[in-house]
Amino acid sequence: MRSNQSKQKVKSLLWLKRLLLLAVWLSALIVLIITLFFSDPIANWLSNLGFIKILDALSKLGVLIGVTVFLLELPKREERIIAERKRSHFEYWKAIDASAASGTVTSYARKIALEELASDGVSLRNIDAPNADLKRIDLTGADLVGANLTGADLTGAILDEANLSKADLYRARLYGASLLKAKLESTDLREVLYDEYTKFPIGFNAAVAGGYLIAPHVSLQQVKLSKAILWGVNLQEANLESSDFTEASFHGAILKNANLQRANLKGSKFGNANLEGAKLNNANIEGANFWNTKGLTIEQVKSAQNWETAQYSKHFCEQLGLSPQLMP
């Protein structure tokens, strides 16, 4: 009996709750309908109430106070922005100095720091970054007067409108770099390596400045490029006769049908390079490394000088009649 009574009470409460919700929804609907049909009279009536006028005045006063506070805080905000920018610049310079002090070649922090400083218009005059890995760096419009970028890898770098006057780019690599409208007054570009995709200022002759075009079919006879880094370059059918490439690195380079006759290749590295049809007659290959070289034949090797001292794969050593060598 008691359980039946409890159930009836619960049902009664649920019905009551539903009736209340229905009454609330109906009331809201009625208010909405009245507001829609009598919106103008209601608006006029509310606008004449003193309370509404006070709220309107307070809202306008709040806007005025907000604008005043913003204007008063503006100088302080600018000071904070300037202070934060100085702190950021200080951290960027720390990263650059740390890389220079340690002699680090590849430093992502240095690259980002240089880009950020350049974008903020900070002078990078006399920056010291020899042999630095700066591939694809964006230094558009940067002040690089007197910068030391000797041997730096600037492959794909954007140096448009940069001021490189009196900068040292001796032996830097500019493959695919863009230097449109860059200032190159008294810039040291001796032995700079560039390709057909490199963009120099209109009318500028990189070859006259001492640079070397690295591309298929070029003529680079008797040039001196010892220890040059020529990774993955395309020198197919290039004339490199009698040139000095002592200890140069041709890793992955394309040298098909290239003329390397009488070239000094002592200690050079040709790992994964393609030497198919390359002429090595009387070239000095003393101590050169030909591990995993493609297209190399017995006839090519034996036409060179000091071929017995070069390094080859085990199978190639057997073909040459040499004792197998340990992989370096």
Side-chain angles (χ1 to χ4, degrees):
M1 291 292 292
R2 288 183 178 177
S3 61
N4 290 333
Q5 290 177 354
S6 298
K7 289 180 180 179
Q8 288 179 356
K9 287 182 179 179
V10 171
K11 289 181 178 180
S12 299
L13 290 172
L14 288 173
W15 276 108
L16 181 60
K17 184 177 180 180
R18 290 172 182 172
L19 287 173
L20 288 172
L21 287 173
L22 182 60
V24 171
W25 279 106
L26 287 173
S27 300
L29 183 60
I30 292 169
V31 171
L32 179 61
I33 293 172
I34 292 173
T35 303
L36 288 173
F37 281 98
F38 302 99
S39 57
D40 289 336
I42 292 173
N44 292 330
W45 175 69
L46 288 174
S47 63
N48 292 324
L49 291 177
F51 177 69
I52 298 298
K53 292 180 179 179
I54 292 172
L55 289 178
D56 183 56
L58 287 175
S59 64
K60 292 177 179 177
L61 180 61
V63 172
L64 180 61
I65 292 172
V67 172
T68 304
V69 171
F70 174 78
L71 293 174
L72 291 174
E73 287 290 325
L74 193 58
K76 295 181 181 179
R77 185 174 301 179
E78 291 179 352
E79 290 176 2
R80 286 196 295 269
I81 292 172
I82 293 171
E84 182 59 34
R85 187 173 296 168
K86 286 182 178 179
R87 280 193 293 271
S88 298
H89 290 175
F90 178 73
E91 293 299 324
Y92 292 146
W93 282 116
K94 281 176 62 178
I96 294 169
D97 292 340
S99 299
S102 63
T104 303
V105 174
T106 302
S107 172
Y108 184 71
R110 171 174 55 193
K111 182 179 175 181
I112 294 298
L114 289 171
E115 286 184 327
E116 291 294 332
L117 290 171
S119 65
D120 281 349
V122 178
S123 174
L124 299 175
R125 290 191 172 212
N126 302 312
I127 192 74
D128 194 31
N131 304 310
D133 181 355
L134 301 174
K135 291 191 288 289
R136 292 176 291 281
I137 193 171
D138 187 351
L139 295 175
T140 303
D143 182 2
L144 291 162
V145 173
N148 179 11
L149 296 170
T150 304
D153 188 354
L154 291 161
T155 300
I158 302 175
L159 296 162
D160 297 337
E161 300 182 5
N163 189 348
L164 287 158
S165 300
K166 300 180 181 179
D168 189 352
L169 272 74
Y170 174 68
R171 287 208 157 198
R173 301 191 291 286
L174 294 172
Y175 305 127
S178 180
L179 293 91
L180 296 175
K181 296 183 180 181
K183 295 180 180 179
L184 300 172
E185 297 174 11
S186 302
T187 305
D188 187 354
L189 292 166
R190 290 174 301 131
E191 298 184 22
V192 157
L193 305 180
Y194 64 99
D195 57 19
E196 62 267 43
Y197 302 107
T198 306
K199 299 176 183 177
F200 288 103
I202 296 174
F204 183 81
N205 191 325
V208 173
Y212 295 127
L213 172 63
I214 305 299
H217 312 290
V218 297
S219 179
L220 292 174
Q221 292 177 273
Q222 299 181 347
V223 300
K224 296 185 182 300
L225 282 172
S226 60
K227 298 183 179 180
I229 298 176
L230 296 155
W231 299 334
V233 300
N234 188 348
L235 284 167
Q236 183 171 331
E237 298 185 12
N239 187 358
L240 309 173
E241 186 175 354
S242 300
S243 293
D244 183 5
F245 289 106
T246 305
E247 297 183 18
S249 179
F250 290 92
H251 183 80
I254 300 174
L255 293 160
K256 290 180 64 175
N257 301 315
N259 181 4
L260 287 160
Q261 297 181 91
R262 289 176 289 281
N264 189 354
L265 304 174
K266 181 179 179 180
S268 294
K269 298 176 177 62
F270 292 89
N272 295 312
N274 189 336
L275 283 164
E276 182 183 344
K279 299 178 180 67
L280 295 173
N281 304 67
N282 294 313
N284 180 14
I285 59 173
E286 179 184 349
N289 189 319
F290 292 99
W291 280 83
N292 297 320
T293 302
K294 304 170 185 176
L296 192 64
T297 66
I298 303 296
E299 291 74 19
Q300 285 174 290
V301 170
K302 289 191 174 181
S303 70
Q305 298 178 7
N306 303 312
W307 60 268
E308 300 91 341
T309 66
Q311 301 176 49
Y312 313 95
S313 64
K314 180 181 178 181
H315 179 68
F316 206 80
C317 282
E318 292 173 352
Q319 290 181 309
L320 289 169
L322 300 173
S323 300
Q325 304 162 341
L326 294 175
M327 188 171 181

